[in-house]
Amino acid sequence: MRRNAAARKDGRCNSPSSGAFWWMDFTPNVWVRDGEFSLREVVSVPDAVEFLDGWPQDKRNPFFYLAENAMQAAINGSIPVDEAREAFESFCTEAGILAASPDTA
């Protein structure tokens, strides 16, 4: 597990962008098409959970449930965050919403 240089003595993180779950950040971040003309940067396990929670019920398939289960496993510490990120990226690829980072496009 990586250490955060901004961690306080009480163990909480000072970084406002990372929030309370800084150790669950995706590296690299995952970019998805969110609507017809916008991109969304998914930066962490909690961010992916939020995205998945908003996914339409009628479009949920085995890749969705694999990603959802992987996020929960990462939160529980059962799998590394990198594996959860890979499951989320596989879901996004299968759903046709994975996008290249604007920095590399």
Side-chain angles (χ1 to χ4, degrees), residues 2 23 31 37 40 45 62 74-75 80 89 96 104:
R2 71 179 188 187
W23 64 90
W31 287 87
F37 298 106
R40 177 174 172 177
V45 169
I75 289 168
E89 191 172 273
T104 61

Side-chain angles (χ1 to χ4, degrees), residues 79-97:
I79 67 170
V81 171
D82 290 345
E83 287 182 27
R85 183 196 171 282
E86 289 175 14
F88 181 72
E89 191 172 273
S90 293
F91 158 73
C92 293
T93 298
E94 195 280 331
I97 60 171

Side-chain angles (χ1 to χ4, degrees), residues 14-72:
N14 287 333
S15 173
S17 63
S18 298
F21 297 101
W22 57 267
W23 64 90
M24 293 188 179
D25 287 353
F26 287 161
T27 304
N29 297 336
V30 179
W31 287 87
V32 296
R33 286 191 283 285
D34 192 16
E36 193 173 340
F37 298 106
S38 63
L39 291 178
R40 177 174 172 177
E41 184 177 22
V42 179
V43 300
S44 65
V45 169
D47 201 19
V49 169
E50 180 182 319
F51 184 86
L52 292 168
D53 284 347
W55 193 251
Q57 289 283 337
D58 63 332
K59 292 186 177 183
R60 295 181 180 192
N61 61 21
F63 286 92
F64 169 87
Y65 293 108
L66 176 69
E68 186 178 58
N69 289 339
M71 295 310 119
Q72 189 59 50

